Amino acid sequence: MSEHDALLQEMAQSVLEGNAEQAAGLARKALEVGLEPMTAIEQGYAPGIREVGDRFERGEYFLPHLAMGAEAMKAALAVLEPELARRREERTTLGRVVIGTVAGDIHEIGKTLVATMLAANGFAVTDLGVNVPVEGFVETVRREKAQLVGLSALLTTTMLVQKEVIQALAEAGLRDQVRVMVGGAPVTAAWAEEIGADGYAEDAISAVRKARELLGV
Ligand code: HCB
């Protein structure tokens, strides 16, 4: 096994064990040995947090494990995100994006990752955070004349709010000026189509690709 592969496995393990200190240390090591920050996130930490979720679903892990896994993942991201941001190309803004996790949902890791990657790739991003009311999206899209809105939902219950936001944008007369991209673990391309979203992305890298495609940039 290569050094990078071993590191990726240790990263997943640090999240599984909810060990924030180790997760952050491995992130620093990744930067030292020249492992791409995005590779560390997508192939190291993310599989770890997904496994945490699977164990939770099987009744092997409980809520504190979910919370500790998330803390470990966030500790690693805190080390890697400044490096991702440093690579940002300041020259032009590809488009104005508003992103947030919908009302009733406090899952923030994936949404923040997508926001960071969009910003790192030249989009001007307003991150509204988590548990964002429907009106919060509508008002910000209007105020900032956003061209793209990213809606994150991690629960089967809160996926429905993505649909509500799209309806509210239409009622506010804004639907023609803004593209809508949805995402989150339970969200699929079929769901995006069903609710009238313009696009779906399964991870942060494809979110950048989809954003560029939707805005034609
Ligand atoms: Co949470 N949780 N959780 N959780 N949680 C999930 C989501 C379950 C799937 C776990 C399971 O049962 N297998 C499950 C949902 C089941 C369902 O609805 N079908 C669940 C549950 C049930 C709950 C609670 C209800 C538990 C309880 O209280 N009984 C509760 C709900 C709280 C609430 O929101 N109201 C809850 C709480 C928590 C925390 C707080 C302990 C913690 C979140 C901490 C935080 O974010 N600060 C947490 C966590 C960590 C998870 C899991 C383990 C990981 C989520 C995560 O960070 N994934 C998750 C299991 C899973 O998702 N498989 C589990 C990693 C990121 C990188 O992936 O999918 O979020 P992502 O984002 C990707 C991708 O989807 C896409 O790009 C991102 C980057 O690659 N994307 C977008 C995301 N948003 C996008 C938007 C776009 O526009 C485009 C692309």
Side-chain angles (χ1 to χ4, degrees):
M1 191 190 296
S2 76
E3 186 190 5
H4 283 188
D5 287 345
L7 202 52
L8 293 171
Q9 272 195 9
E10 284 180 64
M11 286 168 175
Q13 193 60 29
S14 69
V15 174
L16 269 178
E17 290 169 5
N19 188 335
E21 208 173 309
Q22 196 191 2
L26 290 165
R28 283 189 289 272
K29 191 169 171 191
L31 297 179
E32 273 165 33
V33 301
L35 182 64
E36 279 294 315
M38 213 49 217
T39 304
I41 294 168
E42 295 284 11
Q43 294 175 31
Y45 299 106
I49 195 78
R50 287 191 196 109
E51 177 62 22
V52 169
D54 291 347
R55 291 186 187 187
F56 176 74
E57 201 167 34
R58 294 200 297 267
E60 297 164 15
Y61 269 18
F62 300 96
L63 210 46
H65 298 107
L66 278 192
M68 283 169 68
E71 286 310 313
M73 176 111 191
K74 279 164 57 183
L77 292 181
V79 175
L80 298 172
E81 277 176 345
E83 181 57 24
L84 284 172
R86 205 180 59 77
R87 297 171 182 209
R88 180 181 318 179
E89 294 182 34
E90 298 285 357
R91 42 178 177 83
T92 43
T93 296
L94 294 182
R96 285 181 299 282
V97 182
V98 170
I99 191 166
T101 304
V102 300
D105 198 322
I106 61 166
H107 294 87
E108 68 175 338
I109 295 172
K111 176 272 303 163
T112 303
L113 206 48
V114 173
T116 303
M117 280 305 284
L118 287 172
N121 282 277
F123 290 89
V125 181
T126 302
D127 184 345
L128 296 177
V130 298
N131 194 17
V132 180
V134 172
E135 267 313 301
F137 286 107
V138 176
E139 279 160 25
T140 315
V141 165
R142 183 187 288 119
R143 191 179 60 241
E144 303 199 352
K145 297 186 174 58
Q147 292 138 309
L148 180 70
V149 61
L151 305 174
S152 189
L154 268 285
L155 302 170
T156 39
T157 46
T158 57
M159 279 166 75
L160 302 171
V161 183
Q162 294 179 325
K163 187 176 177 183
E164 288 175 30
V165 175
I166 292 172
Q167 284 168 346
L169 285 168
E171 280 159 21
L174 295 167
R175 192 63 187 92
D176 290 341
Q177 78 171 51
V178 70
R179 305 294 93 207
V180 179
M181 174 170 69
V182 293
V187 176
T188 60
W191 172 250
E193 198 177 337
E194 188 182 328
I195 64 174
D198 301 295
Y200 154 78
E202 66 174 349
D203 59 34
I205 291 171
S206 46
V208 172
R209 206 179 304 126
K210 183 55 74 177
R212 296 191 73 130
E213 182 193 312
L214 291 175
L215 300 192
V217 289

